[in-house]
Amino acid sequence: MKVGIIGLPQTGKKTLFQILTGNAALDPAKANKPVPGAADIMDSRFNTLVDMYQPKKQVRARLDLALLPRLEAETIAGGEIFRDIADMDAICHVIRAFEDDAVYHAQGSVNAWRDFENVNAELLMHDQIFAEKRIQRLADEVKKIKDEARQKELDLMQRIQAHLEQENPLRLMALSPDEDKMIRSYPFITRKKMVIAVNVAEEDLGNQDLLARFAPACQAQAIEVMLVSAKVEAEIALLDTASEKQEFLDALGIEETALEMLTRLCLRSLNLISFFTVGKDEVRQWLVRRESTAPRAAGVIHSDLERGFIRAEVFSYDDLIAFGSEAELKKAGRFYVEGKTYLVKDGDILNIRFSV
Ligand code: GDP
């Protein structure tokens, strides 16, 4: 699962990417190819578990990211940027809403809503062009030879085209599993999950009016949206200790840092949930697809655990907090032994029993 960070030049993409991944990234504009990185998932439940178990080792879950070349006339015309985006599972689009005379804007003025609409229009247009070409090709082919599979795809492509013409992204289109399979290998960009990060000035961090400007359109298009200040996040990242960071956040009235929110929204849009394994040796957070069975989740840890899965011992993070300890939640009957069909829930703490 990989999230690609896209946006116009000078919107704060690189700043955010660097803070998220700790990478001093190359300049993707110069390299002209995606810069990979991984972000630690910042989840307060993990910190609490580490405090409780005092393990020798602690491992956070990580999310793969890629900083993509900037969206500008050349990368759009050449089409490379779309090939890069097509490799991603989700897109995080960074939009500039901060004013700063020292930072130029390709359009000459700061207007987050305009940029949001323009970039979305480019992405939609890319998909329309692809569908159109594909339709031409398929129509030519079925004219020559009758072919049921091609005819089916042609029908689907025509429906896709009609959908796109209504300016609707493909993520809103309900497709059957068969249809989904038919187009899965095609580079449709608007089918990807999307998170919008509006990079605002510090004083606009809690600006509900600004968020409200985007909310209806984002909701209608199944896009997650959030405000972030790359500048504030960069300042937080420079602080050494957790208590210094907390003081800073308290002073600004920030409950959840933008990085926490951003990774949380990315996970949500990717349909990923977290589970934990705990003990004196190690506390670790893992990611798995929502609705995964216990053996599937075990397979995230190691394929041997999936293959030799016998049962899972399960309790929830919330119960652990509510009852204060494993012993207390066991007394309350909140410790469960589950089989192969158990569906793992967000915040489950698992111990997998398996045979080799
Ligand atoms: P990119 O081109 O989208 O990757 O943008 P960068 O992250 O390289 O940022 C472009 C310029 O904007 C740099 O000089 C940053 O220091 C500055 N910048 C980024 N985020 C902010 C912000 O939130 N506020 C202000 N004032 N400047 C920012």
Side-chain angles (χ1 to χ4, degrees):
M1 285 289 159
K2 199 186 256 182
V3 179
I5 300 180
I6 65 164
L8 298 168
Q10 304 289 90
T11 51
K13 295 182 297 299
K14 197 166 83 179
T15 309
L16 275 176
F17 178 80
Q18 283 176 336
I19 312 164
L20 278 163
T21 62
N23 285 6
L26 301 163
D27 187 346
K30 274 190 203 130
N32 214 15
K33 58 175 191 260
V35 179
D40 279 336
I41 305 292
M42 293 300 172
D43 187 325
S44 62
R45 295 175 299 182
F46 177 84
N47 303 346
T48 306
L49 290 172
V50 167
D51 284 346
M52 273 177 112
Y53 287 88
Q54 300 283 320
K56 292 188 202 119
K57 197 173 152 203
Q58 38 173 301
V59 187
R60 289 182 190 277
R62 308 194 94 192
L63 180 67
D64 284 328
L65 298 177
L67 177 59
L68 301 188
R70 43 183 59 172
L71 274 168
E72 54 192 343
E74 302 138 44
T75 54
I76 290 173
E80 303 95 6
I81 183 76
F82 298 114
R83 281 195 289 279
D84 293 333
I85 299 175
D87 287 338
M88 303 293 144
D89 298 293
I91 311 166
C92 171
H93 176 196
V94 182
I95 301 179
R96 172 170 168 188
F98 67 87
E99 298 272 356
D100 188 337
D101 290 340
V103 182
Y104 86 91
H105 194 297
Q107 261 70 32
S109 64
V110 173
N111 182 334
W113 178 254
R114 171 201 62 204
D115 295 348
F116 170 75
E117 289 202 304
N118 285 350
V119 169
N120 280 348
E122 290 289 351
L123 302 181
L124 214 54
M125 173 117 74
H126 165 271
D127 284 1
Q128 277 175 314
I129 293 171
F130 182 85
E132 218 171 276
K133 281 190 187 149
R134 192 74 202 138
I135 286 170
Q136 268 174 16
R137 174 122 180 228
L138 288 163
D140 284 348
E141 285 172 356
V142 293
K143 244 188 256 157
K144 283 185 213 133
I145 22 163
K146 248 185 139 46
D147 179 295
E148 206 181 324
R150 284 197 178 85
Q151 185 59 51
K152 255 193 187 154
E153 192 191 324
L154 180 56
D155 295 344
L156 174 60
M157 282 295 163
Q158 278 162 343
R159 266 172 54 220
I160 285 178
Q161 189 179 39
H163 179 92
L164 290 167
E165 267 166 12
Q166 305 290 315
E167 298 192 2
N168 289 320
L170 291 177
R171 81 181 77 81
L172 295 181
M173 194 170 173
L175 295 178
S176 70
D178 275 353
E179 291 169 336
D180 185 55
K181 217 164 156 187
M182 253 191 267
I183 63 161
R184 198 174 296 158
S185 63
Y186 295 150
F188 283 122
I189 306 292
T190 65
R191 187 122 182 99
K192 312 243 172 236
K193 298 289 165 44
M194 197 165 193
V195 177
I196 301 280
V198 184
N199 190 6
V200 297
E202 183 174 333
E203 58 273 19
D204 278 332
L205 264 177
N207 187 336
Q208 293 307 314
D209 291 342
L210 192 60
L211 204 54
R213 180 90 173 85
F214 289 88
C218 287
Q219 203 166 11
Q221 297 183 42
I223 296 173
E224 304 269 7
V225 59
M226 63 176 286
L227 304 181
V228 52
S229 166
K231 202 172 173 187
V232 169
E233 294 297 322
E235 283 165 16
I236 298 171
L238 285 178
L239 299 173
D240 288 328
T241 65
S243 61
E244 275 178 328
K245 281 183 190 173
Q246 197 53 52
E247 250 172 59
F248 187 86
L249 293 175
D250 290 346
L252 285 176
I254 301 175
E255 276 178 30
E256 184 183 32
T257 67
L259 298 187
E260 287 166 347
M261 191 189 283
L262 187 57
T263 47
R264 187 166 58 77
L265 293 184
C266 286
L267 294 188
R268 191 159 79 186
S269 64
L270 289 169
N271 221 3
L272 294 172
I273 57 168
S274 294
F275 69 93
F276 302 89
T277 49
V278 298
K280 282 273 160 241
D281 286 333
E282 185 184 87
V283 165
R284 186 158 178 167
Q285 183 165 358
W286 307 85
L287 303 177
V288 70
R289 282 265 187 174
R290 191 177 290 283
E291 301 288 307
S292 289
T293 60
R296 187 77 272 287
V300 174
I301 302 173
H302 198 285
S303 55
D304 285 351
L305 270 63
E306 181 168 9
R307 230 175 296 127
F309 181 91
I310 299 171
R311 61 178 189 273
E313 296 164 358
V314 187
F315 54 96
S316 77
Y317 172 84
D318 288 343
D319 279 347
L320 180 64
I321 299 307
F323 292 95
S325 71
E326 277 185 48
E328 287 302 315
L329 71 83
K330 270 182 187 157
K331 272 192 221 157
R334 300 297 191 115
F335 184 91
Y336 305 98
V337 175
E338 302 283 0
K340 287 186 175 171
T341 56
Y342 175 71
L343 298 181
V344 172
K345 293 192 285 294
D346 188 52
D348 272 355
I349 298 173
L350 298 182
N351 182 25
I352 307 293
R353 296 290 177 180
F354 67 110
S355 64
V356 277

